[in-house]
Short mmCIF file of all heavy atoms in Angstrom, two decimals:
data_model
loop_
_atom_site.label_atom_id
_atom_site.label_comp_id
_atom_site.label_asym_id
_atom_site.label_seq_id
_atom_site.Cartn_x
_atom_site.Cartn_y
_atom_site.Cartn_z
N ALA L 229 -6.45 -8.32 -5.09
CA ALA L 229 -5.42 -7.46 -4.49
C ALA L 229 -5.67 -6.00 -4.80
O ALA L 229 -5.45 -5.12 -3.96
CB ALA L 229 -4.04 -7.90 -5.02
N MET L 230 -6.14 -5.69 -6.00
CA MET L 230 -6.44 -4.31 -6.37
C MET L 230 -7.51 -3.70 -5.50
O MET L 230 -7.42 -2.53 -5.08
CB MET L 230 -6.88 -4.24 -7.85
CG MET L 230 -5.76 -4.45 -8.85
SD MET L 230 -6.44 -4.67 -10.53
CE MET L 230 -7.43 -3.14 -10.69
N SER L 231 -8.56 -4.45 -5.20
CA SER L 231 -9.66 -3.90 -4.40
C SER L 231 -9.21 -3.59 -2.98
O SER L 231 -9.51 -2.53 -2.43
CB SER L 231 -10.83 -4.87 -4.39
OG SER L 231 -10.48 -6.08 -3.73
N LYS L 232 -8.48 -4.51 -2.37
CA LYS L 232 -8.07 -4.29 -0.98
C LYS L 232 -6.99 -3.21 -0.85
O LYS L 232 -6.96 -2.49 0.17
CB LYS L 232 -7.57 -5.62 -0.39
CG LYS L 232 -7.40 -5.60 1.12
CD LYS L 232 -8.74 -5.71 1.82
CE LYS L 232 -9.24 -7.11 1.81
NZ LYS L 232 -10.52 -7.29 2.48
N SER L 233 -6.12 -3.09 -1.86
CA SER L 233 -5.07 -2.10 -1.80
C SER L 233 -5.42 -0.81 -2.53
O SER L 233 -4.53 -0.02 -2.85
CB SER L 233 -3.76 -2.68 -2.36
OG SER L 233 -3.20 -3.60 -1.45
N ALA L 234 -6.70 -0.61 -2.80
CA ALA L 234 -7.22 0.67 -3.32
C ALA L 234 -6.54 1.08 -4.62
O ALA L 234 -6.13 2.22 -4.79
CB ALA L 234 -7.08 1.77 -2.28
N GLN L 235 -6.43 0.14 -5.55
CA GLN L 235 -5.89 0.47 -6.87
C GLN L 235 -6.99 1.02 -7.78
O GLN L 235 -8.16 0.68 -7.63
CB GLN L 235 -5.26 -0.77 -7.51
CG GLN L 235 -4.11 -1.36 -6.73
CD GLN L 235 -2.94 -0.42 -6.63
OE1 GLN L 235 -2.26 -0.09 -7.59
NE2 GLN L 235 -2.68 0.06 -5.41
N PHE L 236 -6.62 1.88 -8.69
CA PHE L 236 -7.58 2.43 -9.64
C PHE L 236 -8.20 1.30 -10.48
O PHE L 236 -7.47 0.43 -10.96
CB PHE L 236 -6.86 3.43 -10.56
CG PHE L 236 -7.76 4.10 -11.56
CD1 PHE L 236 -8.44 5.24 -11.20
CD2 PHE L 236 -7.91 3.59 -12.85
CE1 PHE L 236 -9.27 5.87 -12.12
CE2 PHE L 236 -8.73 4.20 -13.75
CZ PHE L 236 -9.41 5.35 -13.40
N PRO L 237 -9.53 1.25 -10.64
CA PRO L 237 -10.57 2.20 -10.21
C PRO L 237 -11.24 1.83 -8.88
O PRO L 237 -12.30 2.36 -8.58
CB PRO L 237 -11.56 2.10 -11.36
CG PRO L 237 -11.50 0.66 -11.77
CD PRO L 237 -10.08 0.23 -11.56
N PHE L 238 -10.65 0.92 -8.09
CA PHE L 238 -11.24 0.52 -6.82
C PHE L 238 -10.84 1.45 -5.68
O PHE L 238 -11.18 1.19 -4.52
CB PHE L 238 -10.80 -0.91 -6.46
CG PHE L 238 -11.27 -1.95 -7.41
CD1 PHE L 238 -10.44 -2.43 -8.41
CD2 PHE L 238 -12.54 -2.48 -7.32
CE1 PHE L 238 -10.85 -3.40 -9.30
CE2 PHE L 238 -12.97 -3.47 -8.21
CZ PHE L 238 -12.13 -3.91 -9.21
N HIS L 239 -10.14 2.52 -6.00
CA HIS L 239 -9.58 3.39 -4.95
C HIS L 239 -10.61 4.23 -4.23
O HIS L 239 -10.32 4.82 -3.19
CB HIS L 239 -8.55 4.33 -5.58
CG HIS L 239 -9.15 5.37 -6.48
ND1 HIS L 239 -9.60 5.08 -7.75
CD2 HIS L 239 -9.44 6.68 -6.26
CE1 HIS L 239 -10.10 6.19 -8.28
NE2 HIS L 239 -10.02 7.16 -7.41
N ILE L 240 -11.84 4.33 -4.74
CA ILE L 240 -12.80 5.32 -4.22
C ILE L 240 -13.26 5.02 -2.81
O ILE L 240 -13.76 5.90 -2.11
CB ILE L 240 -14.02 5.44 -5.15
CG1 ILE L 240 -14.71 4.08 -5.30
CG2 ILE L 240 -13.60 5.96 -6.52
CD1 ILE L 240 -15.98 4.14 -6.12
N TRP L 241 -13.06 3.75 -2.33
CA TRP L 241 -13.52 3.45 -0.98
C TRP L 241 -12.61 4.03 0.09
O TRP L 241 -13.06 4.33 1.20
CB TRP L 241 -13.67 1.94 -0.79
CG TRP L 241 -12.38 1.18 -0.76
CD1 TRP L 241 -11.79 0.58 -1.81
CD2 TRP L 241 -11.54 0.91 0.37
NE1 TRP L 241 -10.61 -0.06 -1.42
CE2 TRP L 241 -10.44 0.14 -0.08
CE3 TRP L 241 -11.60 1.25 1.73
CZ2 TRP L 241 -9.42 -0.29 0.76
CZ3 TRP L 241 -10.59 0.82 2.57
CH2 TRP L 241 -9.53 0.06 2.10
N LEU L 242 -11.33 4.21 -0.22
CA LEU L 242 -10.37 4.59 0.82
C LEU L 242 -10.59 6.02 1.34
O LEU L 242 -10.62 6.22 2.56
CB LEU L 242 -8.94 4.41 0.30
CG LEU L 242 -7.84 4.63 1.34
CD1 LEU L 242 -7.99 3.65 2.48
CD2 LEU L 242 -6.45 4.49 0.70
N PRO L 243 -10.75 7.05 0.49
CA PRO L 243 -10.97 8.39 1.05
C PRO L 243 -12.25 8.49 1.87
O PRO L 243 -12.31 9.27 2.82
CB PRO L 243 -11.04 9.28 -0.20
CG PRO L 243 -10.30 8.52 -1.25
CD PRO L 243 -10.57 7.09 -0.97
N ARG L 244 -13.27 7.70 1.49
CA ARG L 244 -14.53 7.74 2.24
C ARG L 244 -14.42 7.08 3.61
O ARG L 244 -15.29 7.25 4.45
CB ARG L 244 -15.63 7.04 1.42
CG ARG L 244 -15.97 7.76 0.13
CD ARG L 244 -16.63 9.08 0.39
NE ARG L 244 -17.01 9.75 -0.85
CZ ARG L 244 -17.56 10.96 -0.89
NH1 ARG L 244 -17.77 11.62 0.22
NH2 ARG L 244 -17.88 11.51 -2.05
N TYR L 245 -13.38 6.28 3.82
CA TYR L 245 -13.22 5.59 5.08
C TYR L 245 -12.60 6.46 6.17
O TYR L 245 -12.44 6.03 7.31
CB TYR L 245 -12.35 4.33 4.88
CG TYR L 245 -12.45 3.33 6.01
CD1 TYR L 245 -13.51 2.44 6.04
CD2 TYR L 245 -11.51 3.29 7.03
CE1 TYR L 245 -13.61 1.52 7.06
CE2 TYR L 245 -11.62 2.39 8.06
CZ TYR L 245 -12.67 1.50 8.07
OH TYR L 245 -12.77 0.61 9.08
N LEU L 246 -12.28 7.70 5.83
CA LEU L 246 -11.57 8.56 6.77
C LEU L 246 -12.45 9.08 7.88
O LEU L 246 -12.00 9.82 8.76
CB LEU L 246 -10.91 9.73 6.02
CG LEU L 246 -9.87 9.31 4.98
CD1 LEU L 246 -9.33 10.51 4.25
CD2 LEU L 246 -8.72 8.56 5.64
N TYR L 247 -13.75 8.74 7.87
CA TYR L 247 -14.64 9.11 8.98
C TYR L 247 -14.34 8.26 10.21
O TYR L 247 -14.83 8.57 11.30
CB TYR L 247 -16.10 8.94 8.58
CG TYR L 247 -16.58 9.94 7.57
CD1 TYR L 247 -16.89 9.56 6.26
CD2 TYR L 247 -16.75 11.29 7.91
CE1 TYR L 247 -17.36 10.47 5.34
CE2 TYR L 247 -17.19 12.21 6.97
CZ TYR L 247 -17.49 11.81 5.70
OH TYR L 247 -17.94 12.70 4.77
N ALA L 248 -13.62 7.17 10.05
CA ALA L 248 -13.30 6.30 11.18
C ALA L 248 -12.39 7.03 12.15
O ALA L 248 -11.76 8.03 11.82
CB ALA L 248 -12.61 5.03 10.66
N PRO L 249 -12.30 6.56 13.41
CA PRO L 249 -11.37 7.17 14.37
C PRO L 249 -9.94 7.16 13.85
O PRO L 249 -9.55 6.27 13.07
CB PRO L 249 -11.53 6.29 15.62
CG PRO L 249 -12.87 5.64 15.49
CD PRO L 249 -13.09 5.46 14.02
N THR L 250 -9.16 8.14 14.26
CA THR L 250 -7.79 8.26 13.76
C THR L 250 -6.95 7.00 13.97
O THR L 250 -6.23 6.59 13.08
CB THR L 250 -7.12 9.48 14.43
OG1 THR L 250 -7.80 10.66 14.02
CG2 THR L 250 -5.66 9.57 14.04
N PRO L 251 -7.01 6.32 15.13
CA PRO L 251 -6.23 5.08 15.27
C PRO L 251 -6.67 4.00 14.29
O PRO L 251 -5.83 3.19 13.84
CB PRO L 251 -6.50 4.64 16.72
CG PRO L 251 -6.90 5.89 17.43
CD PRO L 251 -7.65 6.69 16.43
N VAL L 252 -7.96 3.96 13.92
CA VAL L 252 -8.43 2.98 12.96
C VAL L 252 -7.84 3.27 11.57
O VAL L 252 -7.40 2.37 10.85
CB VAL L 252 -9.97 2.95 12.89
CG1 VAL L 252 -10.44 2.01 11.79
CG2 VAL L 252 -10.53 2.50 14.22
N THR L 253 -7.84 4.56 11.19
CA THR L 253 -7.24 4.90 9.90
C THR L 253 -5.74 4.62 9.90
O THR L 253 -5.17 4.26 8.87
CB THR L 253 -7.50 6.39 9.57
OG1 THR L 253 -7.03 7.20 10.65
CG2 THR L 253 -8.97 6.65 9.37
N ALA L 254 -5.10 4.78 11.06
CA ALA L 254 -3.68 4.44 11.16
C ALA L 254 -3.47 2.95 10.93
O ALA L 254 -2.55 2.53 10.19
CB ALA L 254 -3.13 4.85 12.50
N LEU L 255 -4.32 2.11 11.53
CA LEU L 255 -4.22 0.66 11.32
C LEU L 255 -4.51 0.30 9.87
O LEU L 255 -3.84 -0.57 9.29
CB LEU L 255 -5.19 -0.07 12.26
CG LEU L 255 -5.22 -1.60 12.14
CD1 LEU L 255 -3.90 -2.20 12.55
CD2 LEU L 255 -6.35 -2.18 12.99
N LEU L 256 -5.49 0.96 9.30
CA LEU L 256 -5.83 0.70 7.90
C LEU L 256 -4.68 1.04 6.97
O LEU L 256 -4.26 0.22 6.14
CB LEU L 256 -7.08 1.50 7.52
CG LEU L 256 -7.43 1.52 6.02
CD1 LEU L 256 -7.81 0.14 5.55
CD2 LEU L 256 -8.57 2.51 5.75
N HIS L 257 -4.14 2.24 7.08
CA HIS L 257 -3.12 2.70 6.16
C HIS L 257 -1.75 2.08 6.45
O HIS L 257 -0.88 2.10 5.56
CB HIS L 257 -3.01 4.23 6.20
CG HIS L 257 -4.19 4.93 5.61
ND1 HIS L 257 -4.16 5.52 4.37
CD2 HIS L 257 -5.44 5.11 6.08
CE1 HIS L 257 -5.34 6.04 4.12
NE2 HIS L 257 -6.14 5.81 5.13
N ALA L 258 -1.54 1.59 7.64
CA ALA L 258 -0.25 0.98 7.97
C ALA L 258 -0.25 -0.53 7.86
O ALA L 258 0.81 -1.14 7.75
CB ALA L 258 0.16 1.37 9.40
N GLY L 259 -1.44 -1.16 7.90
CA GLY L 259 -1.48 -2.61 7.91
C GLY L 259 -2.45 -3.23 6.91
O GLY L 259 -2.07 -3.97 6.01
N ILE L 260 -3.74 -2.90 7.05
CA ILE L 260 -4.76 -3.56 6.26
C ILE L 260 -4.58 -3.26 4.76
O ILE L 260 -4.75 -4.15 3.91
CB ILE L 260 -6.15 -3.13 6.73
CG1 ILE L 260 -6.36 -3.58 8.18
CG2 ILE L 260 -7.25 -3.72 5.85
CD1 ILE L 260 -7.67 -3.10 8.81
N ILE L 261 -4.23 -2.03 4.44
CA ILE L 261 -4.10 -1.64 3.02
C ILE L 261 -2.96 -2.40 2.34
O ILE L 261 -2.93 -2.51 1.10
CB ILE L 261 -3.88 -0.12 2.93
CG1 ILE L 261 -4.16 0.41 1.52
CG2 ILE L 261 -2.48 0.24 3.35
CD1 ILE L 261 -5.61 0.42 1.16
N ASN L 262 -2.05 -2.94 3.12
CA ASN L 262 -0.92 -3.69 2.54
C ASN L 262 -1.28 -5.12 2.15
O ASN L 262 -0.42 -5.85 1.65
CB ASN L 262 0.24 -3.71 3.54
CG ASN L 262 0.81 -2.35 3.81
OD1 ASN L 262 0.93 -1.53 2.91
ND2 ASN L 262 1.17 -2.08 5.06
N ALA L 263 -2.54 -5.51 2.38
CA ALA L 263 -2.93 -6.90 2.13
C ALA L 263 -2.74 -7.28 0.67
O ALA L 263 -2.34 -8.41 0.36
CB ALA L 263 -4.38 -7.12 2.57
N GLY L 264 -3.03 -6.35 -0.25
CA GLY L 264 -2.87 -6.66 -1.67
C GLY L 264 -1.43 -6.93 -2.04
O GLY L 264 -1.12 -7.88 -2.78
N GLY L 265 -0.52 -6.09 -1.54
CA GLY L 265 0.89 -6.31 -1.80
C GLY L 265 1.38 -7.62 -1.20
O GLY L 265 2.20 -8.33 -1.81
N PHE L 266 0.90 -7.94 0.01
CA PHE L 266 1.28 -9.22 0.62
C PHE L 266 0.78 -10.40 -0.21
O PHE L 266 1.50 -11.39 -0.41
CB PHE L 266 0.73 -9.32 2.04
CG PHE L 266 0.82 -10.72 2.60
CD1 PHE L 266 2.02 -11.24 3.04
CD2 PHE L 266 -0.32 -11.53 2.63
CE1 PHE L 266 2.11 -12.53 3.54
CE2 PHE L 266 -0.24 -12.83 3.13
CZ PHE L 266 0.98 -13.33 3.57
N LEU L 267 -0.48 -10.32 -0.71
CA LEU L 267 -1.02 -11.41 -1.49
C LEU L 267 -0.18 -11.70 -2.72
O LEU L 267 0.13 -12.85 -3.01
CB LEU L 267 -2.46 -11.06 -1.90
CG LEU L 267 -3.15 -12.07 -2.83
CD1 LEU L 267 -3.34 -13.41 -2.11
CD2 LEU L 267 -4.50 -11.53 -3.31
N ILE L 268 0.23 -10.66 -3.44
CA ILE L 268 1.05 -10.86 -4.63
C ILE L 268 2.40 -11.45 -4.26
O ILE L 268 2.91 -12.34 -4.95
CB ILE L 268 1.20 -9.52 -5.39
CG1 ILE L 268 -0.15 -9.03 -5.87
CG2 ILE L 268 2.15 -9.69 -6.56
CD1 ILE L 268 -0.12 -7.69 -6.57
N ASN L 269 3.00 -11.00 -3.17
CA ASN L 269 4.30 -11.53 -2.75
C ASN L 269 4.15 -12.96 -2.22
O ASN L 269 5.05 -13.79 -2.44
CB ASN L 269 4.91 -10.64 -1.68
CG ASN L 269 5.71 -9.51 -2.28
OD1 ASN L 269 6.88 -9.65 -2.58
ND2 ASN L 269 5.05 -8.36 -2.48
N ARG L 270 3.04 -13.25 -1.54
CA ARG L 270 2.82 -14.61 -1.05
C ARG L 270 2.75 -15.59 -2.23
O ARG L 270 3.21 -16.75 -2.12
CB ARG L 270 1.50 -14.64 -0.25
CG ARG L 270 1.00 -15.98 0.18
CD ARG L 270 1.71 -16.51 1.40
NE ARG L 270 3.07 -16.95 1.12
CZ ARG L 270 3.95 -17.29 2.04
NH1 ARG L 270 3.65 -17.22 3.30
NH2 ARG L 270 5.15 -17.70 1.70
N LEU L 271 2.17 -15.14 -3.33
CA LEU L 271 2.01 -15.97 -4.51
C LEU L 271 3.01 -15.59 -5.61
O LEU L 271 2.73 -15.78 -6.81
CB LEU L 271 0.58 -15.84 -5.05
CG LEU L 271 -0.53 -16.24 -4.07
CD1 LEU L 271 -1.89 -15.92 -4.64
CD2 LEU L 271 -0.45 -17.73 -3.73
N ALA L 272 4.16 -15.02 -5.22
CA ALA L 272 5.16 -14.60 -6.19
C ALA L 272 5.58 -15.72 -7.15
O ALA L 272 5.69 -15.48 -8.36
CB ALA L 272 6.38 -14.03 -5.46
N PRO L 273 5.80 -16.97 -6.69
CA PRO L 273 6.15 -18.02 -7.66
C PRO L 273 5.07 -18.27 -8.71
O PRO L 273 5.38 -18.64 -9.84
CB PRO L 273 6.35 -19.26 -6.76
CG PRO L 273 6.71 -18.71 -5.43
CD PRO L 273 5.92 -17.45 -5.30
N LEU L 274 3.78 -18.04 -8.32
CA LEU L 274 2.70 -18.20 -9.27
C LEU L 274 2.61 -17.02 -10.22
O LEU L 274 2.45 -17.18 -11.44
CB LEU L 274 1.38 -18.38 -8.50
CG LEU L 274 0.16 -18.81 -9.32
CD1 LEU L 274 0.40 -20.16 -9.98
CD2 LEU L 274 -1.06 -18.88 -8.41
N PHE L 275 2.74 -15.80 -9.70
CA PHE L 275 2.72 -14.61 -10.53
C PHE L 275 3.94 -14.59 -11.46
O PHE L 275 3.85 -14.04 -12.57
CB PHE L 275 2.72 -13.35 -9.67
CG PHE L 275 1.34 -12.95 -9.19
CD1 PHE L 275 0.78 -13.56 -8.09
CD2 PHE L 275 0.63 -11.96 -9.85
CE1 PHE L 275 -0.49 -13.18 -7.64
CE2 PHE L 275 -0.62 -11.59 -9.43
CZ PHE L 275 -1.20 -12.20 -8.32
N GLY L 276 5.06 -15.15 -11.01
CA GLY L 276 6.24 -15.18 -11.84
C GLY L 276 6.11 -16.07 -13.07
O GLY L 276 6.96 -16.01 -13.97
N LEU L 277 5.04 -16.85 -13.16
CA LEU L 277 4.80 -17.71 -14.32
C LEU L 277 4.02 -16.99 -15.42
O LEU L 277 3.81 -17.56 -16.49
CB LEU L 277 4.04 -18.97 -13.90
CG LEU L 277 4.75 -19.89 -12.92
CD1 LEU L 277 3.86 -21.05 -12.53
CD2 LEU L 277 6.06 -20.42 -13.53
N SER L 278 3.55 -15.77 -15.14
CA SER L 278 2.72 -15.04 -16.09
C SER L 278 3.26 -13.65 -16.35
O SER L 278 3.08 -12.75 -15.53
CB SER L 278 1.27 -14.98 -15.58
OG SER L 278 0.49 -14.18 -16.43
N SER L 279 3.89 -13.46 -17.48
CA SER L 279 4.37 -12.13 -17.86
C SER L 279 3.20 -11.19 -18.10
O SER L 279 3.27 -9.99 -17.80
CB SER L 279 5.24 -12.22 -19.11
OG SER L 279 6.38 -13.00 -18.89
N THR L 280 2.09 -11.71 -18.61
CA THR L 280 0.92 -10.87 -18.90
C THR L 280 0.38 -10.22 -17.63
O THR L 280 0.11 -9.01 -17.59
CB THR L 280 -0.19 -11.71 -19.56
OG1 THR L 280 0.32 -12.29 -20.76
CG2 THR L 280 -1.40 -10.86 -19.88
N THR L 281 0.23 -11.02 -16.58
CA THR L 281 -0.29 -10.48 -15.31
C THR L 281 0.67 -9.46 -14.72
O THR L 281 0.24 -8.41 -14.21
CB THR L 281 -0.51 -11.62 -14.31
OG1 THR L 281 -1.42 -12.58 -14.86
CG2 THR L 281 -1.11 -11.09 -13.01
N LEU L 282 1.96 -9.72 -14.79
CA LEU L 282 2.94 -8.76 -14.25
C LEU L 282 2.90 -7.45 -15.02
O LEU L 282 2.99 -6.37 -14.43
CB LEU L 282 4.33 -9.37 -14.29
CG LEU L 282 4.60 -10.55 -13.33
CD1 LEU L 282 6.00 -11.09 -13.52
CD2 LEU L 282 4.39 -10.13 -11.89
N HIS L 283 2.74 -7.52 -16.33
CA HIS L 283 2.66 -6.29 -17.12
C HIS L 283 1.40 -5.49 -16.80
O HIS L 283 1.43 -4.26 -16.72
CB HIS L 283 2.71 -6.62 -18.61
CG HIS L 283 4.03 -7.18 -19.06
ND1 HIS L 283 4.18 -7.90 -20.22
CD2 HIS L 283 5.26 -7.12 -18.48
CE1 HIS L 283 5.46 -8.26 -20.35
NE2 HIS L 283 6.12 -7.80 -19.29
N ILE L 284 0.30 -6.19 -16.60
CA ILE L 284 -0.97 -5.51 -16.23
C ILE L 284 -0.82 -4.88 -14.85
O ILE L 284 -1.27 -3.76 -14.60
CB ILE L 284 -2.14 -6.50 -16.29
CG1 ILE L 284 -2.40 -6.93 -17.73
CG2 ILE L 284 -3.39 -5.88 -15.67
CD1 ILE L 284 -3.47 -8.00 -17.88
#
Side-chain angles (χ1 to χ4, degrees):
M230 287 169 55
S231 65
K232 192 76 78 180
S233 287
Q235 299 297 293
F236 182 86
F238 296 98
H239 70 283
I240 58 176
W241 69 267
L242 187 60
R244 295 293 182 183
Y245 197 82
L246 298 178
Y247 291 111
T250 295
V252 175
T253 55
L255 179 64
L256 170 65
H257 290 257
I260 297 175
I261 197 72
N262 295 321
F266 166 76
L267 175 65
I268 296 177
N269 273 274
R270 173 79 287 172
L271 301 173
L274 191 60
F275 276 82
L277 298 176
S278 174
S279 298
T280 302
T281 303
L282 291 178
H283 292 160
I284 293 175

